[in-house]
Amino acid sequence: MQRVILGSLMAAVGFASGSAVAADDSGAWYVSPMVQYHLLDQERISKDNFGAQIGLGYNLLHGFAVEADVNRANFSISGSNADQRLTGYSIDVIKKFFPESVIRPYVLAGAGVMDDTLTRSPHTFHAILAEAGVGLLTGLGDQTGSTRVQLRTEAKYRVEWANPGLYGPKDPSDLIFGIGVQMEFGAPVPPPPPPPPPKIVEVQAPQPPPPPPPPGPVDSDGDGVPDSIDQCPNTPKGDQVDSVGCTIKDEIKLQGVNFATGSAELIPTSDFVLSYAVSSLKKNPTLVIEVDGHTDSVGSAQKNLALSQARAESVMRYLKQHGVTNTMTAKGYGKDRPIADNRTSDGRLQNRRVTLKIVGLQ
């Protein structure tokens, strides 16, 4: 991908050599379609992939613009047949340098919202995002007419403020590269006459000392998770931890794992929770797991015991099929271990559950 970006910048310089000198584009509207490549946060369980963005902007003042962007990309999830779709909506402020030049470097900063959707699941999660980046606009052909075309190359850093889940990262950050075109509409303002050359006075400034090398990541409690993303500092030595440095408790609830009525067949929406369970167990292969099945009090005790055993075995089979190598057993408890009142519909819903109980270490 780095070769693609460098190649784009070299192409931009080549195109610029045949372009007419540009004028100030204040007051002009523009649209900017781009192809992007997303380098995802290493804590995510999805794989890097291409995406697309469309932007609508307006050049406000000399060298400043405001832009509304929509970008979308689909990412496959490791160890799962489900895909993650990220759709971002943002407003950016752009500062362009050398606005009368054919080659215009710029910086941008903005904020917006992110929709995070898992395919085969009806759930969409929303988060706030912030982004900043740098780019280059290179004029293609005549830049003095009422319609102008420019090559646009860009790199930006995006942070998503997301609530941490049992299996998901907190506040992931992604690096995004993009290349596309920018089409401007509206007559440019002719550039003002150049000012008289300033009087040059040479001053020999002392050279500053070179900056110290950046320190490596700090892991104060030695749990293998850097302090910059560790949500549970001072973890006891030897504890098994998840992706954000917190001790994995004795029982992992799989809230959202559901089955067909009176059956042990998993319904498609269960993939969302189970894909994160797969990722978490792969990071901790030494945990010995008991998959426990539970039911409410409706029906006979014998039927509920058999159904809870079948559902526990169904979840264990899913985990093994998706690459989990932990030592696992399945056990059904029927209606004998309720956690809520079976006299209410909400209580019965809570009692119909499957959990992963940590029973030891290999």
Side-chain angles (χ1 to χ4, degrees):
M1 189 62 203
Q2 291 176 341
R3 295 181 179 178
V4 174
I5 299 301
L6 291 175
S8 302
L9 294 177
M10 294 173 64
V13 175
F15 279 117
S17 61
S19 302
V21 176
D24 180 19
D25 54 8
S26 298
W29 290 89
Y30 66 87
V31 294
S32 180
M34 300 181 72
V35 175
Q36 297 178 318
Y37 189 80
H38 296 246
L39 294 178
L40 298 180
D41 192 307
Q42 63 180 358
E43 294 297 329
R44 291 187 186 272
I45 63 173
S46 304
K47 299 179 180 178
D48 303 340
N49 201 8
F50 288 93
Q53 173 177 291
I54 184 72
L56 174 65
Y58 181 74
N59 294 296
L60 293 170
L61 303 172
H62 191 68
F64 282 91
V66 62
E67 181 176 299
D69 295 319
V70 178
N71 62 75
R72 171 174 287 184
N74 287 354
F75 308 92
S76 60
I77 296 177
S78 301
S80 172
N81 57 0
D83 290 337
Q84 183 182 28
R85 176 182 299 152
L86 297 179
T87 305
Y89 307 88
S90 63
I91 300 294
D92 293 338
V93 175
I94 299 175
K95 168 58 180 173
K96 292 180 280 188
F97 303 95
F98 317 121
E100 285 81 34
S101 173
V102 173
I103 299 178
R104 307 180 188 183
Y106 64 88
V107 296
L108 66 85
V113 295
M114 175 72 71
D115 289 344
D116 188 342
T117 304
L118 192 75
T119 57
R120 301 177 62 189
S121 171
H123 304 293
T124 297
F125 298 90
H126 307 284
I128 302 297
L129 68 85
E131 57 187 16
V134 296
L136 194 69
L137 290 171
T138 304
L140 304 178
D142 183 16
Q143 296 298 297
T144 61
S146 60
T147 302
R148 300 167 301 285
V149 180
Q150 295 142 9
L151 178 69
R152 179 170 175 175
T153 52
E154 187 176 278
K156 61 184 177 181
Y157 180 80
R158 182 177 69 195
V159 177
E160 177 185 348
W161 278 286
N163 292 326
L166 183 58
Y167 312 108
K170 175 179 172 59
D171 304 340
S173 57
D174 307 317
L175 187 60
I176 304 170
F177 297 96
I179 183 170
V181 295
Q182 182 161 301
M183 295 169 283
E184 294 192 345
F185 307 95
V189 178
K199 185 180 295 184
I200 300 176
V201 178
E202 293 187 1
V203 178
Q204 190 68 29
Q207 295 295 322
V218 179
D219 181 14
S220 300
D221 55 9
D223 61 0
V225 179
D227 289 355
S228 58
I229 61 172
D230 197 332
Q231 302 301 311
C232 298
N234 303 318
T235 302
K237 186 175 182 179
D239 276 14
Q240 296 286 329
V241 299
D242 57 20
S243 60
V244 293
C246 295
T247 300
I248 299 176
K249 304 300 182 182
D250 292 339
E251 184 178 82
I252 302 173
K253 296 180 179 179
L254 301 179
Q255 187 173 359
V257 173
N258 296 304
F259 302 85
T261 302
S263 167
E265 180 183 355
L266 287 162
I267 63 175
T269 56
S270 302
D271 279 349
F272 182 74
V273 173
L274 289 174
S275 63
Y276 283 103
V278 168
S279 177
S280 183
L281 291 176
K282 284 183 177 180
K283 293 179 181 179
N284 298 279
T286 61
L287 296 178
V288 179
I289 300 297
E290 180 183 279
V291 185
D292 293 343
H294 304 271
T295 67
D296 57 26
S297 61
V298 177
S300 68
Q302 183 178 2
K303 180 180 179 181
N304 282 330
L305 184 62
L307 181 60
S308 64
Q309 179 68 31
R311 288 180 172 178
E313 291 175 352
S314 179
V315 170
M316 183 175 68
R317 185 163 50 253
Y318 179 100
L319 297 175
K320 290 182 177 180
Q321 290 173 348
H322 287 80
V324 174
T325 60
N326 300 63
T327 299
M328 293 185 291
T329 57
K331 184 173 180 60
Y333 289 93
K335 62 181 180 179
D336 293 340
R337 297 187 179 184
I339 59 173
D341 191 347
N342 273 310
R343 292 174 296 181
T344 66
S345 59
D346 182 66
R348 290 190 295 272
L349 178 62
Q350 294 182 56
N351 289 332
R352 296 192 297 269
R353 68 196 189 278
V354 175
T355 60
L356 305 180
K357 183 165 66 177
I358 301 171
V359 297
L361 295 173
Q362 289 181 337

